[in-house]
Amino acid sequence: MLCLVAVRCYLECTVKLNDLKMDSSSHEFPVTILEQTASQLGCNPTDEKLALHLDEEDELKHLRECFHIPKVKDLPPTNPTLVNDNESCIYFAGNSLGLQPKKVKAYLDEELDMWARTGIHGHFNGKRPWALGDECIVELMAGIVGAHKEEIALMNGLTVNLHLQMLSFFNPSPSRYKILLEAKAFPSDHYAVESQLQLHRLDVEKCMLMIQPREGEETLRTEDILDIIEKEGDSIAVILLSGVQYYTGQLFDIPRITKAGQEKGCYVGFDLAHAVGNVELQLHDWGVDFACWCSYKYLNSGAGGLAGAYIHEKHFQTIKPTLIGWWGHEFKTRFLMENKLQLTPGINGFRLSNPPILLVCALHASLEVFGQTTMKVLRRKSILLTGYLEYLIKHYYSEDKANPEKPFVKIITPPQIEERGCQLTLFFSTPIKYVFKELEKRGIACDMREPNALRVAPVPLYNSFHDVHRFIEILGSAIISAKQTANNAALS
């Protein structure tokens, strides 16, 4: 068991995180737990013994059994001479595509069987009536994002939902016409904002206000975001930021940014693709105006899975969809076919057509796994799991100024636990493309992003502390081989 001092530190860490009032030294809490637990075990924090112990004490370890973990032999880039074929891979790519929940196939088979046996009668029969499939699981989603179920719709893809919401929230005037977003926003957000401005025949360069990190820094400072809102807010119509920045892994201070933007008269929305299922969210209580997210990353619904959208209930009577479809009509009169619109209030009025039941099945299987725990408990494990990864990287791969030949790894994700989710973004002194290739040969599933970042995301639902320990061991041999490859390439 964790020693009492470590547990106390852990609980203090969690309480502060939930309150979003953590001090700048809060990143030391995982270190305290790791070092004191190792001391209790009579080992070094870098020893495998600690990882195995933490896994044994993990209250969420049973959830790993809810997912298919790929075998290294099945991953296309794997070099069979470098791996044990029977081992499961180390899957640190859940920030890009989550693993498949084991119940997905059974749920898909249920609906395919319903279709085969009953045809059209599947629309209003079975445990997931097709016409109501999204509504059958929306309450499970509500708990994950901290919203009322009436404030959420499960529909479309993320970018479609973002466009639908922007069409209603972005109504530029001569004095308020700008959209604020981070300079390195995910391309889909960047393009969506560009096209919304072009739709209104506005000058993109003038109206697209992008926040850059300070010179020499990789992430944005909250005070700089708040400062630009204060200075430019009177001309900003919409603030659109990521919840968690896809490249750096930075978790933005959603409640403070929301409050600051609204005080200046701006609508504030968030792309939560990398936040939902990763960090605790309280969209309703924070007063966020609108948000959207995909479900195939931390929510494990499969590539192109059913996306989610949120609009706060305070806008139910004032914000209406610009583009309307049949499914936005009130359910009780929808099938009278009178073509006299009775619009459902809020986000459900934005729905265009009936839900894709096969996509509903995949998302349902994953949300049921989330339903076995809470985001608070998942986040508690995540803080320690990512903290353990950070600890080992710093221990083995910190830059040594006295030994410039030693390969090193730089973590650009903020060290403060309240400013990150589970992802760490790594820069290497060795060329990244070689490191990534060597990791893939050894059965590691992670994610390289141009120009020079490796994103690794230990996901608390299915990753273990031993996964982290194995990753660090394999990383050593990968770096050695990558450096050798880079040297050979330089000589050729």
Side-chain angles (χ1 to χ4, degrees), residues 137-389:
I137 63 173
V138 72
E139 196 156 0
L140 291 170
M141 183 68 80
I144 293 172
V145 300
H148 299 164
K149 67 178 183 178
E150 297 81 10
E151 295 174 317
I152 298 171
L154 302 176
M155 58 185 187
N156 309 316
L158 186 155
T159 308
V160 173
N161 290 336
L162 178 56
H163 273 302
L164 293 173
Q165 291 173 308
M166 290 292 286
L167 284 170
S168 296
F169 280 95
F170 182 55
N171 291 298
S173 68
S175 61
R176 194 181 286 276
Y177 52 88
K178 296 177 184 175
I179 300 175
L180 177 66
L181 71 161
E182 72 255 36
K184 202 174 178 65
F186 195 81
S188 59
D189 289 358
H190 187 102
Y191 298 150
V193 169
E194 271 191 347
S195 59
Q196 288 287 330
L197 292 169
Q198 291 164 349
L199 183 66
H200 289 279
R201 292 183 167 82
L202 294 171
D203 184 326
V204 171
E205 288 192 14
K206 180 181 177 183
C207 301
M208 197 168 172
L209 190 60
M210 293 186 284
I211 315 172
Q212 299 270 7
R214 295 186 186 185
E215 186 174 350
E217 297 182 1
E218 302 292 342
T219 57
L220 293 166
R221 298 192 187 191
T222 300
E223 61 263 34
D224 291 346
I225 298 173
L226 300 180
D227 184 58
I228 198 167
I229 291 172
E230 178 60 33
K231 289 178 178 176
E232 302 280 350
D234 291 339
S235 64
I236 296 172
V238 172
I239 297 168
L240 176 67
L241 295 174
S242 306
V244 171
Q245 219 282 335
Y246 86 96
Y247 188 80
T248 65
Q250 179 181 10
L251 168 60
F252 292 118
D253 193 334
I254 296 175
R256 285 183 69 193
I257 293 168
T258 299
K259 184 173 184 290
Q262 291 172 347
E263 285 178 350
K264 297 295 287 188
C266 313
Y267 286 126
V268 185
F270 290 89
D271 173 348
L272 301 175
H274 288 267
V276 65
N278 178 14
V279 298
E280 288 185 86
L281 298 168
Q282 297 296 335
L283 297 182
H284 177 84
D285 290 347
W286 294 340
V288 173
D289 292 305
F290 69 96
C292 52
W293 57 92
C294 60
S295 65
Y296 53 82
K297 302 184 193 317
Y298 297 105
L299 293 184
N300 316 298
S301 71
L306 191 62
Y310 154 94
I311 292 178
H312 197 284
E313 66 178 8
K314 65 189 173 186
H315 298 303
F316 277 15
Q317 302 307 317
T318 54
I319 297 292
K320 309 293 183 184
T322 301
L323 302 176
I324 294 172
W326 184 29
W327 234 247
H329 188 109
E330 285 274 17
F331 176 75
K332 61 186 178 182
T333 56
R334 184 182 299 158
F335 295 93
L336 295 181
M337 319 299 279
E338 294 176 335
N339 288 350
K340 294 178 181 178
L341 181 65
Q342 295 179 26
L343 188 66
T344 307
I347 188 61
N348 283 290
F350 285 68
R351 293 189 297 173
L352 299 176
S353 56
N354 55 312
I357 192 60
L358 300 183
L359 297 185
V360 168
C361 289
L363 182 55
H364 187 187
S366 179
L367 295 182
E368 282 189 334
V369 180
F370 278 92
Q372 295 183 46
T373 182
T374 65
M375 283 307 303
K376 187 182 296 294
V377 174
L378 279 169
R379 181 69 169 132
R380 191 162 65 228
K381 175 182 174 181
S382 180
I383 288 169
L384 189 57
L385 191 63
T386 296
Y388 182 46
L389 175 62

Side-chain angles (χ1 to χ4, degrees), residues 29 34 51 62 65-66 90 133 168 172 186 200 208 257 272 326 412 468:
F29 282 115
L34 295 168
H62 62 287
E65 300 305 314
C66 297
I90 299 172
S168 296
F186 195 81
H200 289 279
M208 197 168 172
I257 293 168
L272 301 175
W326 184 29
I412 69 164
V468 171

Side-chain angles (χ1 to χ4, degrees), residues 24-32 34 45-46 92 382-398 409-418 420-426 456 458 465 468-469 471-472 475:
S24 60
S25 64
S26 59
H27 64 279
E28 295 177 1
F29 282 115
V31 175
T32 302
L34 295 168
T46 61
F92 281 176
S382 180
I383 288 169
L384 189 57
L385 191 63
T386 296
Y388 182 46
L389 175 62
E390 178 188 41
Y391 182 91
L392 293 179
I393 289 172
K394 287 183 174 180
H395 178 83
Y396 288 110
Y397 301 113
S398 290
V409 179
K410 177 185 176 183
I411 302 171
I412 69 164
T413 307
Q416 295 83 4
I417 59 178
E418 76 277 14
R420 70 183 186 202
C422 71
Q423 172 186 319
L424 293 182
T425 300
L426 313 178
V456 289
F465 291 91
V468 171
H469 193 273
F471 172 78
I472 294 297
L475 180 61

